[in-house]
Amino acid sequence: MSIAENLQKIHQRIENACLKSGRNPKDVKLLMATKTVSAENIKIALACDENLIGENKVQELKEKYDALKSIPHRTHFIGHLQSNKIKEVIKYADCIQSIDRISLVKELHKTLEKQNKTMDILLQVNTSFEQSKFGFPPHEVINFAKEVSNYSTLKIKGLMTIGLFSSEEAKVRRCFKILREIRDEIRDLNINTISMEELSMGMSNDLETAIEEGSTMVRVGTDIFGKRIHPDSYYWDETMKLEPKK
Ligand SMILES: *Cc1c(COP(=O)(O)O)cnc(C)c1O
């Protein structure tokens, strides 16, 4: 299957899930998760009328930037962000979806303020309560959002989560439901510096469930570009080292 055919299939799946839940397919964006994908293949995908990519590693973001900069598109950072990489990320990304701790927010604000810049962000929530996943515990998100709303350089646009990896759909669905409920609660606070328009949730394996629970942005890698060689945990943690080859 070609990238173009895979994309067609993904859009069909998005449409079917929308139909099933009475939603408009226009309300669900497709972010192409492009970790490990070459600039060449990203170009092929962007040429299929796509315009949104997400990278997990600052190094990859940087490496592909020049090759892609002449093509109109937006780039979100979706990986675990180390504070010492903030300067680079704000140079190359349009939005950071993986805001997961207050120390990061403080550093980010300081750097943006110096450069007279602002940044769109999503707050990452650990809805699966797995140790291995980054993100705020659900019960802390609301207070955190209130605190972040005081930082004028940071524009909260919504929430992001990675669903539980499980074949039990009910458990996966619960993660997405938690995110939607937090979104609704924050919305009800009516804080004018916080927008809750974006619910970034759903990947290759669970995008239908996420859409049924209100996702406005699915992040798809494998089902567009094929399998990756390393397990996902490697891409989520910048500090993670691979086992040396024996
Ligand atoms: C890799 C990745 C995705 C896409 O996952 P697939 O299962 O390949 O579709 C989505 N979100 C994040 C944060 C990722 O790291």
Side-chain angles (χ1 to χ4, degrees):
M1 285 285 258
S2 69
I3 290 173
E5 285 170 316
N6 289 343
L7 278 166
Q8 227 169 24
K9 252 170 92 179
I10 291 293
H11 282 293
Q12 192 59 57
R13 284 173 62 188
I14 293 173
E15 217 172 293
N16 291 345
C18 284
L19 220 58
K20 196 175 157 189
S21 45
R23 301 187 56 202
N24 186 340
K26 288 200 180 73
D27 295 336
V28 183
K29 299 181 203 59
L30 172 62
L31 174 143
M32 303 188 291
T34 48
K35 54 180 175 257
T36 75
V37 179
S38 68
E40 282 314 302
N41 281 343
I42 298 174
K43 277 186 189 169
I44 292 173
L46 289 173
C48 300
D49 219 17
E50 298 299 332
N51 54 27
L52 183 59
I53 67 172
E55 288 287 352
N56 289 64
K57 300 248 177 193
V58 178
Q59 186 60 33
E60 277 195 62
L61 191 65
K62 216 161 77 179
E63 280 168 8
K64 298 174 205 173
Y65 182 79
D66 276 336
L68 299 175
K69 72 177 176 202
S70 63
I71 307 166
H73 72 287
R74 293 176 65 80
T75 305
H76 288 195
F77 190 77
I78 59 175
H80 180 63
L81 178 56
Q82 285 181 289
S83 296
N84 63 2
K85 305 251 169 88
I86 285 174
K87 269 207 185 95
E88 287 184 298
V89 167
I90 62 178
K91 205 149 100 194
Y92 302 113
D94 303 295
C95 173
I96 302 172
Q97 294 204 4
S98 41
I99 298 295
D100 60 1
R101 58 198 190 278
I102 194 67
S103 59
L104 180 64
V105 165
K106 286 179 178 159
E107 283 297 315
L108 192 56
H109 174 68
K110 221 164 61 186
T111 313
L112 287 165
E113 208 172 30
K114 264 190 225 151
Q115 301 189 14
N116 226 339
K117 269 187 173 178
T118 64
M119 179 60 77
D120 288 351
I121 61 169
L122 304 186
L123 308 182
Q124 183 172 357
V125 186
N126 185 353
T127 54
S128 65
F129 302 96
E130 288 170 292
Q131 282 282 318
S132 60
K133 298 240 176 96
F134 295 101
F136 293 97
H139 69 276
E140 287 180 14
V141 183
I142 294 180
N143 276 336
F144 182 71
K146 286 183 195 162
E147 188 171 348
V148 176
S149 69
N150 296 319
Y151 293 90
S152 56
T153 59
L154 301 173
K155 310 293 176 196
I156 303 181
K157 298 293 179 188
L159 306 172
M160 182 270 252
T161 200
I162 299 170
L164 184 75
F165 286 128
S166 165
S167 52
E168 288 178 70
E169 205 212 279
K171 288 186 180 168
V172 180
R173 186 178 294 275
R174 199 172 136 257
C175 297
F176 299 143
K177 212 168 163 168
I178 289 173
L179 201 71
R180 170 164 49 85
E181 287 168 355
I182 298 172
R183 192 263 323 260
D184 293 345
E185 273 186 71
I186 296 177
R187 234 184 210 172
D188 289 346
L189 297 174
N190 272 319
I191 300 175
N192 59 15
T193 52
I194 299 180
S195 146
M196 276 287 130
E197 70 201 48
E198 221 65 91
L199 267 191
S200 173
M201 58 189 196
M203 304 174 21
S204 291
N205 285 332
D206 54 19
L207 69 91
E208 282 87 355
T209 311
I211 289 171
E212 286 167 29
E213 294 302 330
S215 171
T216 64
M217 184 187 290
V218 292
R219 308 179 307 268
V220 182
T222 309
D223 284 359
I224 299 171
F225 301 107
K227 279 200 163 52
R228 294 173 294 266
I229 53 169
H230 304 308
D232 273 352
S233 53
Y234 166 71
Y235 304 104
W236 289 336
D237 190 347
E238 193 83 50
T239 58
M240 187 99 140
K241 296 282 183 290
L242 290 173
E243 296 281 313
K245 284 218 176 73
K246 297 249 163 67

